[in-house]
Amino acid sequence: MTDVVVSFFALVGRRYRVADIASDIDWLIDMSGLDVPHAIKNDHELDALISARATQTRLLVHLKQ
């Protein structure tokens, strides 16, 4: 399992900063196409979104091989 901060850097290309949570949430939701059922309210929920996107990305790469 990869640390969520490492996954965030791999997905976004910059360090994870809690101060940027609002823009990071919007960007990740738009980019991922994931159906997020409610507003993400804190960094723990953002961590879950990052993990979901990282898993989705890894699965898509694996399936294309």
Side-chain angles (χ1 to χ4, degrees):
M1 188 129 208
T2 303
D3 186 287
V4 75
V5 175
V6 175
S7 296
F8 181 86
F9 185 84
L11 291 169
V12 180
R14 66 170 172 77
R15 294 183 65 178
Y16 176 76
R17 293 181 300 259
V18 175
D20 297 329
I21 190 170
S23 62
D24 291 341
I25 290 168
D26 292 341
W27 183 82
L28 280 166
I29 290 172
D30 288 345
M31 186 205 45
S32 69
L34 294 171
D35 181 23
V36 180
H38 63 81
I40 295 174
K41 300 175 202 82
N42 58 52
D43 58 324
H44 297 291
E45 292 179 358
L46 177 58
D47 290 347
L49 177 61
I50 293 166
S51 295
R53 176 58 183 163
T55 300
Q56 179 188 47
T57 302
R58 290 181 194 122
L59 288 173
L60 291 175
V61 168
H62 178 71
L63 291 173
K64 289 181 180 178
Q65 294 179 353

